[in-house]
Amino acid sequence: MEKLQVKINNVTATVSEAAVEALAPAAAASIEKLVKGTGAGNDFLGWVNLPTRTTSTLIDDINATARRMRETCDVVIAIGIGGSYLGAKAVIEALSDSFAAYKKTEGPQILFAGQNIGEDYLYELQEYLRDKRFGIIVISKSGTTTEPAIAFRLLKAQLEEQLGREEASARIVAITDAHRGALRSLATTEGYKTYVIDDNVGGRFSVLSPVGLLPIAVAGFDIKALVAGAASMEEATLNGSDNAAALYAQTRNALYQAGKKIEILVNYNPKLHYFGEWWKQLYGESEGKDHKGIFPAAVDNSTDLHSMGQWIQDGERTIFETVISVANQAHEVIIPSDTDNLDGLNYIAGKRVDEVNKMAELGTVIAHVDGGVPNIHITLPALREDYLGQLIYFFEVACGISGYILDVNPFNQPGVEAYKRNMFALLAKPGYEKETEAIKARL
Ligand code: PA5
């Protein structure tokens, strides 16, 4: 299996190779903390060896459940938010036909819910499902998150109304904590098929657990290859034979120390849009604490060159970019020649669309570097399960290394509780009486 490649030659106008190299001891110490469990947040390191300790028994079991759902459902709704949603969405989008939603495909359509509280979204989803054979994968580590709980209550009721309680239960799979949370007790009472999210695997690091693997398998993709790709990156990065993740972590920290406070993850393939969303959660929740941390943003090029391109080229010089470039496309499209050439495009006739895309990418990198935006470059051989597995693990391990270099606990997220406390107080949730009183006084 080819490996993804990281190049940092386009950062040296801002940080020297020596400045990046100076962080190598800190990166090595961070890897040691991840492996030995001696750093902050060490009760959440279950993801570190997750790819190599995922058994073929678990993969076979997930594939069997997926097969059953593919046979019995025209639509499967994956309910979850944050880490219980973004990884599966990212991989499914990256591997799917762009127009799969409009085509009659072999397996079920995968839709998502519980990732927002949009009333119209939920209404329209319920309407869409009215005449469909559908199933539900409900995912929540805590089992108490409000957004997915609302979506599940609505869709469970709809499924039970369509099929009766017993048959509906056979179309629902729950992925949650082994013992705790409302979803666990509900699943036990209703007799749902369940998978466990290990205590020591945090939400944003859970895509390679059943959280991501089941929806990806239901979508028809090869989860064995995905995990194998991740396992190859685990072995390479933790054993030190390939320091690509450490190099990325060192470089972004050197850039941060040089005043580059915002990292923009750039893709040139529309199928990677949700990969950017997954990456934003991974790095934003892991590093944004103690009033520190690089702000993670993402753009889809060349689309966003026509909207954000001006800011990136000429705006405040506090940014750097990390470009994910996909070397090989699955299909070939040649630009045809035209006798009249009224559109003036004959100069690229005979070329592949991807060649034009690659020149847009190269031209942009050069322009941005010239404009004072350092560029880290990641080359992924292709959009394939094994390479995506590599990329996922690469970003996860680099995130752990980077968070430790920054001297934060990369594995907690205390900040996300603040809005929840206020929302519960405003909705007068039992147990929040004092907060309700306090917040009402502020309105
Ligand atoms: O990274 C995290 O832990 C969070 O963003 C969670 O993924 C998100 O809040 C969903 O939590 P849960 O799976 O408990 O419903």
Side-chain angles (χ1 to χ4, degrees), residues 1 30 35 52 64 87 95 207 348 364 368 400 402 438:
M1 190 193 319
S30 302
V35 173
T52 49
L95 295 173
V207 53
I348 49 171
T364 306
H368 288 182
S402 192

Tab-separated table of all heavy atoms in Angstrom, residues 1 30 35 52 64 87 95 207 348 364 368 400 402 438:
chain	number	residue	atom	x	y	z
A	1	MET	N	0.842	-1.201	0.000
A	1	MET	CA	0.000	0.000	0.000
A	1	MET	C	0.883	1.259	0.000
A	1	MET	O	1.753	1.392	0.847
A	1	MET	CB	-0.859	-0.013	1.277
A	1	MET	CG	-1.957	1.012	1.337
A	1	MET	SD	-2.667	1.164	3.012
A	1	MET	CE	-2.797	-0.507	3.619
A	30	SER	N	5.918	13.658	23.023
A	30	SER	CA	4.450	13.553	22.922
A	30	SER	C	4.039	12.147	22.477
A	30	SER	O	3.083	11.577	23.015
A	30	SER	CB	3.898	14.565	21.915
A	30	SER	OG	4.265	15.861	22.294
A	35	VAL	N	1.861	6.719	23.741
A	35	VAL	CA	2.077	5.269	23.784
A	35	VAL	C	2.059	4.754	25.220
A	35	VAL	O	1.438	3.732	25.522
A	35	VAL	CB	3.409	4.902	23.080
A	35	VAL	CG1	3.738	3.436	23.266
A	35	VAL	CG2	3.324	5.233	21.594
A	52	THR	N	-5.133	-1.464	15.263
A	52	THR	CA	-4.485	-2.782	15.348
A	52	THR	C	-5.209	-3.722	16.310
A	52	THR	O	-5.013	-4.936	16.251
A	52	THR	CB	-2.994	-2.675	15.761
A	52	THR	OG1	-2.906	-1.838	16.905
A	52	THR	CG2	-2.145	-2.112	14.641
A	64	ALA	N	-22.129	-8.091	9.036
A	64	ALA	CA	-23.374	-8.879	9.022
A	64	ALA	C	-24.572	-7.971	9.326
A	64	ALA	O	-25.619	-8.057	8.661
A	64	ALA	CB	-23.289	-10.013	10.042
A	87	GLY	N	-17.333	11.624	11.266
A	87	GLY	CA	-16.394	10.682	10.663
A	87	GLY	C	-17.072	9.836	9.598
A	87	GLY	O	-16.566	9.693	8.474
A	95	LEU	N	-16.184	8.556	-0.544
A	95	LEU	CA	-16.165	7.341	-1.366
A	95	LEU	C	-17.375	7.195	-2.288
A	95	LEU	O	-17.379	6.363	-3.196
A	95	LEU	CB	-16.081	6.104	-0.449
A	95	LEU	CG	-14.787	5.957	0.365
A	95	LEU	CD1	-14.911	4.791	1.347
A	95	LEU	CD2	-13.577	5.741	-0.549
A	207	VAL	N	-14.183	7.490	14.884
A	207	VAL	CA	-14.639	7.073	13.551
A	207	VAL	C	-14.228	5.640	13.206
A	207	VAL	O	-14.942	4.941	12.475
A	207	VAL	CB	-14.176	8.074	12.453
A	207	VAL	CG1	-12.701	8.317	12.501
A	207	VAL	CG2	-14.575	7.592	11.060
A	348	ILE	N	-6.693	24.017	-23.968
A	348	ILE	CA	-6.620	22.877	-23.025
A	348	ILE	C	-7.330	21.634	-23.577
A	348	ILE	O	-7.520	20.653	-22.858
A	348	ILE	CB	-7.179	23.236	-21.623
A	348	ILE	CG1	-8.536	23.914	-21.716
A	348	ILE	CG2	-6.187	24.054	-20.826
A	348	ILE	CD1	-9.218	24.085	-20.354
A	364	THR	N	-2.294	28.136	-7.332
A	364	THR	CA	-2.780	28.737	-6.085
A	364	THR	C	-1.725	28.632	-4.987
A	364	THR	O	-1.480	29.605	-4.262
A	364	THR	CB	-4.081	28.022	-5.636
A	364	THR	OG1	-5.003	28.054	-6.721
A	364	THR	CG2	-4.703	28.710	-4.437
A	368	HIS	N	-0.266	31.820	-3.148
A	368	HIS	CA	-0.464	32.013	-1.706
A	368	HIS	C	0.876	32.082	-0.971
A	368	HIS	O	1.054	32.910	-0.084
A	368	HIS	CB	-1.348	30.898	-1.131
A	368	HIS	CG	-2.788	31.030	-1.544
A	368	HIS	ND1	-3.778	30.184	-1.130
A	368	HIS	CD2	-3.408	31.952	-2.340
A	368	HIS	CE1	-4.942	30.551	-1.656
A	368	HIS	NE2	-4.738	31.619	-2.397
A	400	GLY	N	-2.933	14.435	18.609
A	400	GLY	CA	-2.456	14.139	19.960
A	400	GLY	C	-1.064	14.734	20.182
A	400	GLY	O	-0.795	15.373	21.212
A	402	SER	N	0.361	17.205	18.532
A	402	SER	CA	0.289	18.662	18.461
A	402	SER	C	-0.274	19.268	19.746
A	402	SER	O	0.233	20.270	20.255
A	402	SER	CB	-0.597	19.026	17.262
A	402	SER	OG	-0.501	20.369	16.978
A	438	ALA	N	-31.367	32.024	37.565
A	438	ALA	CA	-30.256	32.952	37.305
A	438	ALA	C	-30.308	33.478	35.874
A	438	ALA	O	-30.114	34.660	35.629
A	438	ALA	CB	-28.931	32.253	37.567
